Amino acid sequence: MAGEATIRKDDARYPGLISGANTRWVGAPEYVRLVSSAAEVAEAVQDAVDQGLKVTVRSGGHCDENFTTSTDVQVVINLAGLNAVYYDEERRAFAVEPGAMLGHVYETLYRGWGVTIPGGTCPTVGAGGHIVGGGYGALSRLHGLTVDYLYAVEIVVVDENGRCRTVVATSEPDDPHRELWWAHTGAGGGNFGVITTYWLRSPDSASAEPADQLPAAPAEVLVSDIAWSWSDLTEESFTRLVRNFSAWHEANSAPDSPWTGLYSQLKTQHKAAGMFRMSTQIDASVPDAQGRLDRFLAAVNEGTGVDYSVNDRSVLPWFYVVREWFGFVEPSLPRWKAKSAYMRKAMPADQLAALYRQLTRDDYDNPFSMVALVSYGGRINTVDPEATAVAQRDSVLKLLYVTLWTDKTEDDRHDRWIRECYADVYAASGGVPSSNAVTDGCFINYADADVADPALNDSGVPWHELYFKNNYSRLQAVKERWDPRGEFSHALSIRPTPERLG
């Protein structure tokens, strides 16, 4: 099995296994190891450590940066074969292996038990990196983050003598490995070892029934997809539209708000696209769901003086939506660059002006460049900032900056635009969304290595403060305890303390 599962450069499968969904990042490892069990993971890690080879892991392959393809990576452990989803009676929790795609997770949980997790809206994302980075999606305002349901994690670690072992860490207060569990509730992938299984269940569940361990999936959802034409918009009307969207979320994102069941993405594309869209979902079973959607749409469009066109407005089975509805999925282009921001309040005037300026530039014309404002808050904000590694627990929006393209000769042009856009929007806080009254840092699952590059981040705000705030020192302690040799690292991985480095 080991020989058959080791893919080297002379194997016809090698080119298809050395890059992920973002094809601008192509690695050149000595080999790729395909695994399908925790025992095979442990063997693969031990082999790499014994040979002194730099090892990394890939599950779904949707990483925004080159964490699995950088020039120092010599071995890639591909976890696609670990894709089981099942109920574990002993732990009274649902087990999800890291190679399982979110679409497969949703389907298995729904078909088997009618439950779900509040995860992402892209069905091809792997559970491995998604969960450990925090994980959020269309049901998070109503149910919280995915990691708020993480009960335990199984992980292959390497001790100070270079020996591998498999450890299970749980959220139980008396678990001696509890800090290792805690670090997997938002630190991002590639930090402490190789995750081989997650166990998920509602933290307040006392039932022995599987169907009571996770939130029930909605029966049906009311979805809406509308668009505004750039030709109808002025700076004033565009600014009013985005301000309305962000102000609505500031006013309606408290944990006890009757609007927590509504999730929306306002995807402000560059004017070269000719238009931009807003997709919305609300549980169709809530009283007057159609009226609620009408009131939301009216609030967003109020005072703009322009009309929107309706691409879709339907009541659909929730299971169909998570598999087939493409309102929340970005264009499928092979190269991209992303950045992020948490928003505690509505976008202020200077940020709105910068956003308009960057989306209407005449010297840049990529229709697949956008800044997406995404619903956040609600039950997410009922959790203490130190209870999980996700420290941002009072935001109402999450922003995704992304530009997508095909031609590799244009990488620099697109990188330049998104960097300039980001720096312009956050000019008042040093070019990054530092923690202040309005913004609260960045989301590790929208990884952006720029913020760790002194040549690109001269704000004085360290990259780890943007991502982890005051939780970083605690994550460093976990790193020193469980990866003392630094076997697992990348551009945004948890670093040892300065004392350890010395």
Side-chain angles (χ1 to χ4, degrees):
M1 177 63 182
E4 294 176 359
T6 301
I7 312 302
R8 299 187 183 276
K9 296 181 180 180
D10 59 354
D11 192 305
R13 293 170 289 180
Y14 182 86
L17 296 171
I18 58 174
S19 66
N22 191 349
T23 60
R24 69 182 299 192
W25 309 125
V26 180
E30 293 190 15
Y31 61 87
V32 177
R33 192 74 168 263
L34 305 180
V35 295
S36 57
S37 70
E40 290 177 5
V41 170
E43 179 185 354
V45 174
Q46 191 66 69
D47 287 349
V49 171
D50 289 346
Q51 297 174 76
L53 300 177
K54 165 74 172 175
V55 64
T56 190
V57 296
R58 176 181 291 126
S59 54
H62 279 251
C63 185
D64 293 334
E65 292 289 355
N66 69 335
F67 297 166
T68 64
T69 61
S70 60
T71 55
D72 62 336
V73 170
Q74 297 164 299
V75 177
V76 175
I77 300 176
N78 189 303
L79 302 175
L82 274 81
N83 58 10
V85 179
Y86 59 93
Y87 184 69
D88 185 333
E89 292 187 2
E90 181 180 353
R91 288 198 168 87
R92 196 167 55 84
F94 287 95
V96 176
E97 292 181 344
M101 303 296 182
L102 290 182
H104 173 56
V105 175
Y106 298 146
E107 180 172 0
T108 304
L109 294 177
Y110 177 82
R111 289 189 185 277
W113 300 274
V115 299
T116 191
I117 56 173
T121 56
C122 180
T124 61
V125 166
H130 182 71
I131 295 175
V132 74
Y136 83 106
L139 297 178
S140 288
R141 280 165 55 87
L142 190 60
H143 296 300
L145 300 179
T146 308
V147 289
D148 297 339
Y149 295 82
L150 183 62
Y151 170 70
V153 60
E154 180 181 72
I155 179 171
V156 174
V157 295
V158 182
D159 68 19
E160 60 186 5
N161 297 314
R163 307 315 299 167
C164 295
R165 62 186 176 117
T166 302
V167 175
V168 173
T170 76
S171 62
E172 297 291 346
D174 60 349
D175 187 340
H177 302 152
R178 191 177 192 277
E179 282 296 281
L180 183 61
W181 161 83
W182 176 85
H184 285 83
T185 62
N191 277 299
F192 311 104
V194 183
I195 300 161
T196 52
T197 307
Y198 295 104
W199 284 272
L200 299 133
R201 77 179 191 207
S202 298
D204 56 354
S205 174
S207 170
E209 293 297 320
D212 295 332
Q213 306 308 325
L214 288 174
E220 295 180 317
V221 290
L222 171 60
V223 298
S224 168
D225 189 65
I226 65 175
W228 290 268
S229 173
W230 270 109
S231 62
D232 295 337
L233 294 166
T234 63
E235 180 172 2
E236 181 181 4
S237 55
F238 173 86
T239 300
R240 179 65 182 267
L241 176 67
V242 180
R243 181 191 298 125
N244 286 348
F245 184 88
S246 59
W248 185 94
H249 282 83
E250 181 180 349
N252 295 284
S253 296
D256 59 352
S257 168
W259 291 95
T260 55
L262 184 144
Y263 171 84
S264 188
Q265 296 179 355
L266 177 63
K267 292 163 278 198
T268 60
Q269 288 175 254
H270 190 277
K271 71 173 184 178
M275 48 74 70
F276 59 85
R277 298 162 47 218
M278 182 177 76
S279 302
T280 306
Q281 172 181 309
I282 186 170
D283 188 336
S285 69
V286 301
D288 191 27
Q290 296 281 358
R292 284 175 179 265
L293 177 58
D294 286 339
R295 293 192 291 277
F296 172 70
L297 298 179
V300 173
N301 207 51
E302 182 182 6
T304 63
V306 298
D307 294 325
Y308 54 79
S309 59
V310 179
N311 301 321
D312 188 13
R313 178 165 174 155
S314 309
V315 175
L316 298 170
W318 172 84
F319 186 47
Y320 175 86
V321 169
V322 296
R323 292 181 305 159
E324 306 290 346
W325 197 65
F326 301 110
F328 294 136
V329 179
E330 303 304 336
S332 181
L333 293 177
R335 308 175 80 81
W336 73 80
K337 172 66 179 177
K339 294 176 178 287
S340 66
Y342 285 96
M343 300 295 297
R344 286 170 151 161
K345 292 185 177 180
M347 293 187 77
D350 62 326
Q351 293 185 10
L352 291 167
L355 182 61
Y356 179 82
R357 188 161 51 242
Q358 294 299 326
L359 292 175
T360 57
R361 284 171 56 168
D362 292 323
D363 62 340
Y364 183 76
D365 60 354
N366 181 13
F368 301 110
S369 295
M370 71 181 74
V371 179
L373 290 78
V374 185
S375 297
Y376 209 66
R379 186 170 175 182
I380 296 168
N381 294 346
T382 63
V383 177
D384 187 277
E386 297 181 358
T388 68
V390 179
Q392 293 87 354
R393 292 289 186 166
D394 62 1
S395 293
V396 299
L397 286 170
K398 190 174 283 186
L399 268 57
L400 168 63
Y401 294 73
V402 64
T403 181
L404 307 97
W405 66 97
T406 300
D407 188 348
K408 66 180 180 181
T409 66
E410 297 188 345
D411 288 1
D412 290 345
R413 181 170 79 95
H414 297 295
D415 280 345
R416 183 167 57 253
W417 174 81
I418 197 169
R419 287 168 177 164
E420 291 174 354
C421 176
Y422 200 66
D424 194 7
V425 173
Y426 303 112
S429 55
V432 296
S434 56
S435 184
N436 55 43
V438 176
T439 56
D440 200 20
C442 308
F443 178 42
I444 192 62
N445 273 359
Y446 297 157
D448 174 21
D450 287 356
V451 298
D453 185 343
L456 297 173
N457 178 10
D458 61 357
S459 68
V461 181
W463 70 270
H464 54 79
E465 183 176 317
L466 291 169
Y467 284 111
F468 307 115
K469 300 179 65 177
N470 294 334
N471 283 339
Y472 187 62
S473 60
R474 187 173 171 187
L475 289 169
Q476 286 183 296
V478 178
K479 178 73 169 178
E480 292 181 9
R481 167 69 178 84
W482 292 101
D483 185 26
R485 295 161 54 99
E487 297 287 349
F488 304 96
S489 63
H490 53 71
L492 296 177
S493 61
I494 308 302
R495 315 281 169 82
T497 63
E499 292 79 8
R500 183 82 178 194
L501 287 171

